Coordinates of all heavy atoms in Angstrom, one line a residue:
M52 N 130.8 -60.5 -21.3 CA 130.9 -61.7 -20.4 C 129.8 -62.7 -20.9 O 128.6 -62.3 -21.0 CB 130.7 -61.3 -19.0 CG 130.7 -62.4 -18.0 SD 130.5 -61.8 -16.3 CE 131.5 -62.8 -15.5
T53 N 130.1 -63.9 -21.0 CA 129.1 -64.9 -21.5 C 128.6 -65.7 -20.3 O 129.4 -66.0 -19.3 CB 129.7 -65.9 -22.5 OG1 130.8 -66.5 -21.9 CG2 130.1 -65.2 -23.8
S54 N 127.4 -66.1 -20.3 CA 126.8 -66.8 -19.2 C 126.8 -68.3 -19.6 O 126.9 -68.7 -20.7 CB 125.4 -66.3 -18.9 OG 124.5 -66.6 -19.9
E55 N 126.5 -69.1 -18.6 CA 126.3 -70.6 -18.8 C 125.2 -70.9 -19.8 O 125.3 -71.8 -20.6 CB 126.0 -71.3 -17.5 CG 125.9 -72.8 -17.6 CD 127.2 -73.5 -18.0 OE1 128.3 -72.9 -17.7 OE2 127.2 -74.6 -18.5
V56 N 124.2 -70.0 -19.8 CA 123.0 -70.3 -20.7 C 123.5 -70.1 -22.2 O 123.0 -70.8 -23.1 CB 121.9 -69.3 -20.4 CG1 120.8 -69.4 -21.4 CG2 121.4 -69.6 -19.0
E57 N 124.4 -69.1 -22.4 CA 124.7 -68.8 -23.8 C 125.7 -69.8 -24.4 O 125.8 -70.0 -25.6 CB 125.4 -67.4 -23.9 CG 124.4 -66.3 -23.5 CD 125.1 -65.0 -23.4 OE1 126.3 -64.9 -23.5 OE2 124.4 -64.0 -23.3
Q58 N 126.5 -70.5 -23.6 CA 127.5 -71.4 -24.1 C 127.1 -72.9 -23.9 O 126.7 -73.3 -22.8 CB 128.8 -71.2 -23.3 CG 129.4 -69.8 -23.5 CD 129.8 -69.6 -24.9 OE1 130.3 -70.4 -25.6 NE2 129.6 -68.4 -25.4
P59 N 127.1 -73.6 -25.0 CA 126.8 -75.1 -24.8 C 127.9 -75.7 -23.9 O 129.0 -75.3 -23.8 CB 127.0 -75.6 -26.2 CG 126.8 -74.4 -27.1 CD 127.4 -73.3 -26.3
T60 N 127.4 -76.8 -23.2 CA 128.3 -77.5 -22.3 C 129.4 -78.2 -23.1 O 129.3 -78.4 -24.3 CB 127.5 -78.5 -21.5 OG1 127.0 -79.5 -22.4 CG2 126.4 -77.9 -20.7
A61 N 130.5 -78.5 -22.4 CA 131.6 -79.2 -23.0 C 131.1 -80.5 -23.7 O 131.5 -80.9 -24.7 CB 132.7 -79.5 -22.0
M62 N 130.2 -81.2 -23.0 CA 129.7 -82.5 -23.5 C 128.9 -82.2 -24.8 O 129.1 -83.0 -25.8 CB 128.7 -83.1 -22.5 CG 128.3 -84.5 -22.9 SD 127.5 -85.5 -21.6 CE 125.9 -84.7 -21.5
S63 N 128.2 -81.2 -24.9 CA 127.4 -80.9 -26.1 C 128.4 -80.5 -27.3 O 128.2 -80.9 -28.4 CB 126.5 -79.7 -25.9 OG 125.4 -80.1 -25.1
E64 N 129.5 -79.7 -26.9 CA 130.4 -79.3 -27.9 C 131.2 -80.5 -28.5 O 131.7 -80.5 -29.6 CB 131.4 -78.3 -27.3 CG 130.9 -76.9 -27.2 CD 130.6 -76.3 -28.6 OE1 131.3 -76.6 -29.6 OE2 129.7 -75.4 -28.6
A65 N 131.3 -81.6 -27.7 CA 131.9 -82.8 -28.2 C 131.1 -83.5 -29.3 O 131.7 -84.4 -30.0 CB 132.2 -83.7 -27.0
L66 N 129.9 -83.2 -29.4 CA 129.0 -83.9 -30.4 C 129.4 -83.4 -31.8 O 129.7 -82.2 -32.0 CB 127.5 -83.5 -30.1 CG 126.9 -84.1 -28.9 CD1 125.5 -83.5 -28.7 CD2 126.9 -85.6 -28.9
G67 N 129.3 -84.3 -32.7 CA 129.5 -83.9 -34.1 C 128.2 -83.3 -34.6 O 127.1 -83.3 -33.9
Y68 N 128.2 -82.7 -35.7 CA 127.0 -82.0 -36.3 C 125.8 -83.0 -36.4 O 124.7 -82.7 -35.9 CB 127.3 -81.4 -37.6 CG 126.0 -80.9 -38.3 CD1 125.4 -79.7 -37.9 CD2 125.4 -81.7 -39.3 CE1 124.3 -79.3 -38.5 CE2 124.3 -81.2 -39.9 CZ 123.7 -80.1 -39.5 OH 122.5 -79.6 -40.0
E69 N 126.1 -84.1 -37.0 CA 125.0 -85.1 -37.2 C 124.4 -85.6 -35.9 O 123.2 -85.8 -35.8 CB 125.5 -86.3 -38.0 CG 125.8 -85.9 -39.5 CD 127.2 -85.3 -39.7 OE1 128.0 -85.2 -38.7 OE2 127.5 -84.9 -40.8
Q70 N 125.3 -85.8 -34.9 CA 124.8 -86.3 -33.6 C 123.9 -85.2 -32.9 O 122.8 -85.5 -32.4 CB 125.9 -86.6 -32.7 CG 126.7 -87.8 -33.1 CD 128.0 -88.0 -32.3 OE1 128.8 -87.0 -32.1 NE2 128.2 -89.2 -31.7
A71 N 124.4 -84.0 -33.0 CA 123.6 -82.9 -32.4 C 122.3 -82.7 -33.1 O 121.2 -82.5 -32.5 CB 124.4 -81.6 -32.4
R72 N 122.3 -82.7 -34.4 CA 121.1 -82.6 -35.2 C 120.1 -83.7 -34.9 O 118.9 -83.4 -34.7 CB 121.5 -82.6 -36.7 CG 120.3 -82.4 -37.6 CD 120.5 -83.0 -39.0 NE 120.8 -84.4 -38.9 CZ 121.7 -85.0 -39.8 NH1 122.2 -84.4 -40.8 NH2 121.9 -86.3 -39.6
D73 N 120.6 -84.9 -34.9 CA 119.7 -86.0 -34.6 C 119.0 -85.9 -33.2 O 117.9 -86.2 -33.0 CB 120.4 -87.4 -34.7 CG 120.8 -87.7 -36.2 OD1 120.3 -87.0 -37.1 OD2 121.6 -88.6 -36.4
E74 N 119.8 -85.5 -32.2 CA 119.3 -85.3 -30.9 C 118.3 -84.2 -30.9 O 117.3 -84.3 -30.2 CB 120.4 -85.1 -29.9 CG 119.9 -85.1 -28.4 CD 120.9 -84.9 -27.4 OE1 122.1 -85.2 -27.6 OE2 120.6 -84.5 -26.3
L75 N 118.6 -83.1 -31.6 CA 117.7 -82.0 -31.7 C 116.4 -82.4 -32.3 O 115.3 -82.0 -31.8 CB 118.3 -80.9 -32.5 CG 117.5 -79.6 -32.7 CD1 117.1 -79.0 -31.4 CD2 118.3 -78.6 -33.5
I76 N 116.4 -83.2 -33.3 CA 115.2 -83.7 -34.0 C 114.4 -84.5 -33.0 O 113.1 -84.3 -32.9 CB 115.5 -84.6 -35.2 CG1 116.1 -83.7 -36.3 CG2 114.3 -85.4 -35.7 CD1 116.7 -84.5 -37.5
E77 N 115.0 -85.3 -32.1 CA 114.3 -86.1 -31.1 C 113.7 -85.2 -30.1 O 112.6 -85.4 -29.6 CB 115.3 -87.1 -30.5 CG 114.6 -87.9 -29.4 CD 113.5 -88.8 -29.9 OE1 113.3 -89.1 -31.1 OE2 112.7 -89.2 -29.0
V78 N 114.4 -84.1 -29.7 CA 113.9 -83.2 -28.7 C 112.6 -82.5 -29.2 O 111.6 -82.4 -28.5 CB 115.0 -82.1 -28.3 CG1 114.4 -80.9 -27.6 CG2 116.1 -82.8 -27.4
V79 N 112.7 -82.1 -30.5 CA 111.5 -81.4 -31.1 C 110.4 -82.4 -31.2 O 109.2 -82.0 -30.9 CB 111.9 -80.9 -32.5 CG1 110.7 -80.4 -33.2 CG2 112.9 -79.7 -32.3
R80 N 110.6 -83.6 -31.6 CA 109.6 -84.6 -31.7 C 108.9 -84.8 -30.3 O 107.7 -84.8 -30.2 CB 110.2 -86.0 -32.1 CG 109.1 -87.0 -32.4 CD 109.7 -88.4 -32.5 NE 110.3 -88.9 -31.3 CZ 109.6 -89.2 -30.1 NH1 108.3 -89.2 -30.1 NH2 110.2 -89.6 -29.1
R81 N 109.7 -84.9 -29.3 CA 109.1 -85.1 -27.9 C 108.3 -83.9 -27.5 O 107.2 -84.0 -26.9 CB 110.2 -85.4 -26.9 CG 110.8 -86.8 -27.1 CD 111.9 -87.1 -26.1 NE 111.4 -87.0 -24.7 CZ 112.2 -87.0 -23.6 NH1 113.5 -87.0 -23.8 NH2 111.6 -86.9 -22.4
L82 N 108.8 -82.7 -27.8 CA 108.0 -81.5 -27.4 C 106.7 -81.4 -28.2 O 105.7 -81.1 -27.6 CB 108.9 -80.2 -27.7 CG 110.0 -80.0 -26.6 CD1 110.9 -78.9 -27.1 CD2 109.4 -79.6 -25.3
E83 N 106.8 -81.7 -29.5 CA 105.6 -81.7 -30.3 C 104.5 -82.7 -29.9 O 103.3 -82.5 -30.0 CB 105.9 -81.8 -31.8 CG 106.6 -80.6 -32.3 CD 107.0 -80.7 -33.8 OE1 107.1 -81.9 -34.3 OE2 107.3 -79.7 -34.4
A84 N 105.0 -83.9 -29.4 CA 104.1 -85.0 -29.0 C 103.4 -84.6 -27.8 O 102.3 -85.1 -27.5 CB 104.9 -86.3 -28.8
G85 N 103.9 -83.7 -26.9 CA 103.3 -83.4 -25.7 C 103.4 -84.5 -24.7 O 104.2 -85.4 -24.8
G86 N 102.6 -84.3 -23.6 CA 102.5 -85.4 -22.6 C 103.7 -85.2 -21.6 O 103.9 -86.1 -20.8
T87 N 104.4 -84.2 -21.6 CA 105.5 -84.0 -20.6 C 105.0 -82.9 -19.7 O 104.2 -82.0 -20.0 CB 106.8 -83.5 -21.3 OG1 106.6 -82.3 -22.1 CG2 107.3 -84.6 -22.2
T88 N 105.6 -82.9 -18.5 CA 105.3 -81.9 -17.5 C 106.0 -80.6 -17.9 O 106.8 -80.6 -18.8 CB 105.9 -82.3 -16.1 OG1 107.3 -82.3 -16.2 CG2 105.4 -83.6 -15.7
L89 N 105.6 -79.5 -17.3 CA 106.2 -78.2 -17.6 C 107.7 -78.3 -17.4 O 108.4 -77.8 -18.2 CB 105.5 -77.1 -16.7 CG 106.1 -75.7 -16.8 CD1 106.0 -75.2 -18.3 CD2 105.4 -74.8 -15.9
E90 N 108.1 -78.8 -16.3 CA 109.6 -78.9 -16.0 C 110.3 -79.7 -17.1 O 111.4 -79.4 -17.5 CB 109.8 -79.5 -14.6 CG 109.5 -78.6 -13.5 CD 110.4 -77.3 -13.5 OE1 111.6 -77.4 -13.8 OE2 109.8 -76.2 -13.4
E91 N 109.7 -80.9 -17.5 CA 110.3 -81.7 -18.5 C 110.4 -80.9 -19.9 O 111.4 -80.9 -20.6 CB 109.5 -83.0 -18.7 CG 109.7 -83.9 -17.6 CD 108.7 -85.1 -17.7 OE1 107.6 -85.0 -18.3 OE2 109.0 -86.2 -17.1
S92 N 109.3 -80.2 -20.2 CA 109.2 -79.4 -21.4 C 110.3 -78.3 -21.4 O 111.0 -78.1 -22.4 CB 107.8 -78.8 -21.6 OG 106.9 -79.8 -21.8
L93 N 110.5 -77.6 -20.3 CA 111.5 -76.6 -20.2 C 112.9 -77.2 -20.3 O 113.7 -76.6 -21.0 CB 111.4 -75.8 -18.8 CG 110.2 -74.9 -18.7 CD1 110.1 -74.3 -17.3 CD2 110.3 -73.7 -19.7
A94 N 113.1 -78.3 -19.7 CA 114.4 -79.0 -19.8 C 114.7 -79.4 -21.3 O 115.8 -79.2 -21.8 CB 114.5 -80.2 -18.9
L95 N 113.7 -79.9 -21.9 CA 113.8 -80.3 -23.3 C 114.1 -79.0 -24.2 O 114.9 -79.1 -25.1 CB 112.6 -81.0 -23.8 CG 112.4 -82.4 -23.4 CD1 111.0 -82.9 -23.7 CD2 113.4 -83.3 -24.0
W96 N 113.3 -78.0 -24.0 CA 113.5 -76.7 -24.7 C 115.0 -76.2 -24.5 O 115.6 -75.8 -25.5 CB 112.5 -75.7 -24.3 CG 112.7 -74.4 -25.0 CD1 112.3 -74.1 -26.3 CD2 113.3 -73.2 -24.5 NE1 112.6 -72.8 -26.6 CE2 113.3 -72.3 -25.5 CE3 114.0 -72.9 -23.3 CZ2 113.8 -71.0 -25.4 CZ3 114.5 -71.7 -23.2 CH2 114.5 -70.7 -24.2
E97 N 115.4 -76.2 -23.3 CA 116.8 -75.7 -23.0 C 117.8 -76.6 -23.7 O 118.8 -76.1 -24.3 CB 117.1 -75.7 -21.5 CG 116.3 -74.6 -20.8 CD 116.4 -74.7 -19.3 OE1 116.7 -75.7 -18.8 OE2 116.0 -73.7 -18.6
R98 N 117.6 -77.9 -23.7 CA 118.5 -78.8 -24.4 C 118.5 -78.6 -25.9 O 119.5 -78.6 -26.6 CB 118.2 -80.3 -24.1 CG 119.0 -81.3 -24.8 CD 120.5 -81.2 -24.3 NE 121.3 -82.2 -24.9 CZ 122.6 -82.2 -25.0 NH1 123.2 -81.2 -24.5 NH2 123.2 -83.2 -25.6
G99 N 117.3 -78.3 -26.4 CA 117.2 -78.0 -27.8 C 117.9 -76.8 -28.2 O 118.6 -76.7 -29.3
E100 N 117.8 -75.7 -27.4 CA 118.5 -74.5 -27.7 C 120.0 -74.7 -27.7 O 120.7 -74.2 -28.6 CB 118.2 -73.4 -26.6 CG 116.8 -72.8 -26.8 CD 116.7 -72.0 -28.0 OE1 117.6 -71.2 -28.3 OE2 115.6 -72.0 -28.6
E101 N 120.5 -75.5 -26.7 CA 121.9 -75.9 -26.7 C 122.4 -76.6 -27.9 O 123.4 -76.3 -28.5 CB 122.2 -76.7 -25.4 CG 123.6 -77.0 -25.1 CD 123.7 -77.7 -23.8 OE1 123.3 -77.1 -22.7 OE2 124.3 -78.8 -23.8
L102 N 121.6 -77.6 -28.3 CA 121.9 -78.4 -29.5 C 121.9 -77.5 -30.8 O 122.7 -77.7 -31.7 CB 121.0 -79.6 -29.6 CG 121.1 -80.6 -28.6 CD1 119.9 -81.6 -28.5 CD2 122.4 -81.4 -28.8
A103 N 120.9 -76.6 -30.9 CA 120.8 -75.7 -32.0 C 122.1 -74.9 -32.1 O 122.6 -74.6 -33.2 CB 119.6 -74.9 -31.9
K104 N 122.6 -74.4 -31.0 CA 123.8 -73.6 -31.0 C 125.0 -74.4 -31.4 O 125.9 -73.9 -32.1 CB 124.1 -73.0 -29.6 CG 123.1 -71.9 -29.3 CD 123.3 -71.4 -27.8 CE 122.2 -70.4 -27.5 NZ 122.3 -70.0 -26.1
V105 N 125.1 -75.7 -31.0 CA 126.2 -76.6 -31.4 C 126.1 -76.8 -32.9 O 127.1 -76.6 -33.6 CB 126.1 -78.0 -30.7 CG1 127.0 -79.0 -31.3 CG2 126.4 -77.8 -29.2
C106 N 124.9 -77.0 -33.5 CA 124.7 -77.2 -34.9 C 125.2 -75.9 -35.6 O 125.9 -76.0 -36.7 CB 123.3 -77.5 -35.2 SG 122.8 -79.2 -34.8
R107 N 124.7 -74.8 -35.1 CA 125.1 -73.5 -35.8 C 126.6 -73.3 -35.8 O 127.2 -72.9 -36.8 CB 124.4 -72.3 -35.1 CG 124.8 -71.0 -35.6 CD 124.7 -70.7 -37.0 NE 123.3 -71.0 -37.5 CZ 123.1 -71.2 -38.8 NH1 124.0 -71.1 -39.7 NH2 121.8 -71.4 -39.2
R108 N 127.3 -73.6 -34.7 CA 128.7 -73.4 -34.6 C 129.4 -74.4 -35.6 O 130.4 -74.0 -36.3 CB 129.2 -73.7 -33.2 CG 129.0 -72.5 -32.3 CD 129.8 -72.7 -31.0 NE 129.6 -71.6 -30.2 CZ 128.7 -71.5 -29.2 NH1 128.0 -72.5 -28.9 NH2 128.6 -70.4 -28.5
R109 N 128.9 -75.6 -35.7 CA 129.5 -76.6 -36.6 C 129.3 -76.1 -38.1 O 130.3 -76.2 -38.9 CB 128.9 -78.0 -36.4 CG 129.1 -78.6 -35.1 CD 130.5 -79.1 -35.0 NE 130.7 -79.8 -33.8 CZ 131.9 -80.0 -33.2 NH1 133.0 -79.6 -33.8 NH2 132.0 -80.7 -32.1
L110 N 128.1 -75.6 -38.4 CA 127.9 -75.1 -39.7 C 128.7 -73.9 -40.0 O 129.3 -73.8 -41.1 CB 126.4 -74.8 -39.9 CG 125.5 -76.1 -40.0 CD1 124.0 -75.6 -40.0 CD2 125.8 -76.9 -41.2
D111 N 128.8 -73.0 -39.1 CA 129.7 -71.8 -39.3 C 131.1 -72.2 -39.5 O 131.8 -71.6 -40.3 CB 129.5 -70.8 -38.1 CG 128.2 -70.2 -38.0 OD1 127.4 -70.2 -39.0 OD2 127.9 -69.6 -37.0
G112 N 131.6 -73.2 -38.7 CA 133.0 -73.6 -38.9 C 133.2 -74.2 -40.3 O 134.2 -74.0 -40.9
A113 N 132.2 -75.0 -40.7 CA 132.3 -75.6 -42.0 C 132.3 -74.6 -43.1 O 133.1 -74.6 -44.1 CB 131.2 -76.6 -42.3
R114 N 131.5 -73.5 -42.9 CA 131.4 -72.5 -43.9 C 132.7 -71.7 -44.0 O 133.2 -71.3 -45.0 CB 130.3 -71.5 -43.6 CG 130.2 -70.3 -44.6 CD 128.9 -69.6 -44.3 NE 127.8 -70.5 -44.3 CZ 126.7 -70.3 -44.8 NH1 126.4 -69.2 -45.4 NH2 125.7 -71.2 -44.8
A115 N 133.3 -71.4 -42.8 CA 134.6 -70.7 -42.8 C 135.7 -71.5 -43.5 O 136.5 -71.0 -44.2 CB 135.0 -70.4 -41.3
R116 N 135.7 -72.8 -43.2 CA 136.7 -73.7 -43.9 C 136.5 -73.7 -45.4 O 137.5 -73.6 -46.2 CB 136.6 -75.1 -43.4 CG 137.1 -75.3 -42.0 CD 136.9 -76.7 -41.4 NE 137.6 -77.7 -42.2 CZ 137.4 -79.0 -42.1 NH1 136.6 -79.4 -41.2 NH2 138.1 -79.8 -42.9
L117 N 135.3 -73.7 -45.9 CA 135.0 -73.7 -47.3 C 135.4 -72.4 -47.9 O 136.0 -72.3 -48.9 CB 133.5 -74.0 -47.5 CG 133.0 -73.9 -49.0 CD1 133.8 -75.0 -49.8 CD2 131.5 -74.2 -49.1
D118 N 135.0 -71.3 -47.2 CA 135.4 -69.9 -47.7 C 136.9 -69.8 -47.8 O 137.5 -69.2 -48.7 CB 134.8 -68.9 -46.8 CG 133.3 -68.7 -46.9 OD1 132.8 -69.2 -47.9 OD2 132.7 -68.1 -46.0
A119 N 137.6 -70.3 -46.8 CA 139.1 -70.2 -46.8 C 139.7 -71.0 -47.9 O 140.6 -70.6 -48.6 CB 139.7 -70.7 -45.4
A120 N 139.1 -72.2 -48.2 CA 139.6 -73.1 -49.3 C 139.3 -72.4 -50.6 O 140.2 -72.4 -51.5 CB 139.0 -74.4 -49.2
L121 N 138.2 -71.8 -50.8 CA 137.8 -71.1 -52.0 C 138.7 -69.9 -52.2 O 139.2 -69.6 -53.3 CB 136.4 -70.7 -52.0 CG 135.4 -71.9 -52.2 CD1 134.0 -71.4 -52.0 CD2 135.6 -72.6 -53.5
A122 N 139.0 -69.2 -51.1 CA 139.9 -68.0 -51.2 C 141.3 -68.4 -51.6 O 141.9 -67.7 -52.4 CB 139.9 -67.2 -49.9
E123 N 141.8 -69.5 -51.0 CA 143.1 -70.0 -51.3 C 143.2 -70.4 -52.8 O 144.1 -70.1 -53.5 CB 143.4 -71.2 -50.4 CG 144.8 -71.7 -50.6 CD 145.1 -72.8 -49.7 OE1 144.8 -72.7 -48.5 OE2 145.7 -73.8 -50.1
E124 N 142.1 -71.1 -53.3 CA 142.1 -71.5 -54.7 C 142.1 -70.3 -55.6 O 142.7 -70.2 -56.6 CB 140.8 -72.3 -54.9 CG 140.7 -72.9 -56.3 CD 139.5 -73.7 -56.5 OE1 139.2 -74.6 -55.7 OE2 138.8 -73.5 -57.5
A125 N 141.3 -69.3 -55.2 CA 141.2 -68.0 -56.0 C 142.6 -67.3 -56.1 O 143.0 -66.8 -57.1 CB 140.1 -67.1 -55.5
D126 N 143.3 -67.3 -54.9 CA 144.6 -66.7 -54.9 C 145.6 -67.5 -55.8 O 146.4 -66.9 -56.5 CB 145.1 -66.7 -53.5 CG 144.4 -65.7 -52.6 OD1 143.7 -64.8 -53.2 OD2 144.5 -65.7 -51.4
T127 N 145.5 -68.8 -55.8 CA 146.4 -69.6 -56.6 C 146.1 -69.4 -58.1 O 147.0 -69.3 -58.9 CB 146.2 -71.1 -56.2 OG1 146.4 -71.3 -54.8 CG2 147.1 -72.0 -57.0
E128 N 144.8 -69.4 -58.4 CA 144.5 -69.2 -59.8 C 144.5 -67.8 -60.3 O 144.4 -67.5 -61.5 CB 143.1 -69.8 -60.1 CG 143.0 -71.3 -59.9 CD 141.6 -71.9 -60.0 OE1 140.7 -71.1 -60.2 OE2 141.5 -73.1 -59.9
G129 N 144.5 -66.8 -59.4 CA 144.4 -65.4 -59.7 C 145.5 -64.9 -60.5 O 145.4 -63.9 -61.3
G130 N 146.7 -65.5 -60.5 CA 147.9 -65.0 -61.2 C 148.0 -65.4 -62.6 O 148.9 -65.0 -63.3
D131 N 147.0 -66.2 -63.2 CA 147.2 -66.7 -64.5 C 146.3 -66.0 -65.5 O 146.2 -66.4 -66.7 CB 147.0 -68.2 -64.6 CG 145.5 -68.6 -64.2 OD1 144.7 -67.7 -64.0 OD2 145.3 -69.8 -64.1
G132 N 145.7 -64.8 -65.1 CA 145.0 -64.0 -66.1 C 143.6 -64.5 -66.4 O 143.0 -64.0 -67.4
E133 N 143.0 -65.5 -65.8 CA 141.7 -66.0 -66.1 C 140.7 -65.4 -65.1 O 141.0 -65.2 -63.9 CB 141.6 -67.5 -66.0 CG 142.5 -68.2 -67.1 CD 142.3 -69.7 -67.0 OE1 141.7 -70.2 -66.1 OE2 142.9 -70.3 -67.9
N134 N 139.4 -65.3 -65.5 CA 138.4 -64.8 -64.6 C 137.8 -66.1 -64.0 O 138.2 -67.2 -64.2 CB 137.4 -63.9 -65.3 CG 136.6 -64.7 -66.4 OD1 136.5 -65.9 -66.4 ND2 136.0 -63.9 -67.3
E135 N 136.7 -65.9 -63.2 CA 136.1 -67.0 -62.5 C 135.6 -68.1 -63.4 O 135.5 -69.2 -63.1 CB 135.0 -66.5 -61.6 CG 135.5 -65.8 -60.3 CD 134.4 -65.4 -59.4 OE1 133.3 -66.0 -59.5 OE2 134.6 -64.6 -58.5
A136 N 135.2 -67.7 -64.6 CA 134.6 -68.7 -65.5 C 135.7 -69.4 -66.3 O 135.4 -70.3 -67.1 CB 133.7 -68.0 -66.5
G137 N 137.0 -69.0 -66.0 CA 138.1 -69.7 -66.7 C 138.4 -69.2 -68.0 O 139.0 -69.8 -68.9
V138 N 137.9 -68.0 -68.3 CA 138.1 -67.4 -69.7 C 139.1 -66.3 -69.6 O 139.1 -65.5 -68.7 CB 136.7 -66.8 -70.2 CG1 137.0 -66.1 -71.5 CG2 135.7 -67.8 -70.2
S139 N 140.1 -66.3 -70.5 CA 141.2 -65.3 -70.5 C 140.7 -64.0 -71.0 O 139.9 -63.9 -71.9 CB 142.3 -65.8 -71.4 OG 142.8 -67.0 -70.9

């Protein structure tokens, strides 16, 4: 069973990788700069964790797509007797 803490919100999931990454950079900058209350810092940290999960999911999805494309290409080329270097 997954909890609310483990799953990014629908609004976060709607962000593209670059948007989530840029917001995460801003969150980290604000935390490193200091000057926030404990509650603000905790809220920023929680948002950062959520954004990091979104980024990780986007990267994992991109990796899966790349792996699938490479596997498809290998299957297509596999029947012509060449190895990965293109040598017969």
Side-chain angles (χ1 to χ4, degrees):
M52 178 181 217
T53 59
S54 70
E55 181 68 26
V56 174
E57 295 173 353
Q58 296 297 321
T60 63
M62 189 168 72
S63 293
E64 282 293 331
L66 293 174
Y68 171 77
E69 290 82 4
Q70 293 169 309
R72 181 202 59 212
D73 290 347
E74 187 177 340
L75 179 57
I76 290 168
E77 179 61 20
V78 165
V79 170
R80 187 196 63 74
R81 288 180 60 193
L82 284 169
E83 287 177 342
T87 57
T88 66
L89 177 59
E90 286 300 315
E91 291 169 333
S92 294
L93 286 173
L95 285 168
W96 178 79
E97 289 170 344
R98 180 64 177 159
E100 287 290 322
E101 187 174 302
L102 291 164
K104 288 176 186 175
V105 170
C106 289
R107 172 56 54 200
R108 281 193 178 95
R109 296 284 185 203
L110 289 172
D111 288 346
R114 180 172 307 219
R116 288 175 60 193
L117 179 59
D118 289 345
L121 290 173
E123 184 177 317
E124 182 179 313
D126 288 345
T127 302
E128 294 176 355
D131 63 5
E133 293 182 353
N134 65 19
E135 285 185 18
V138 178
S139 298

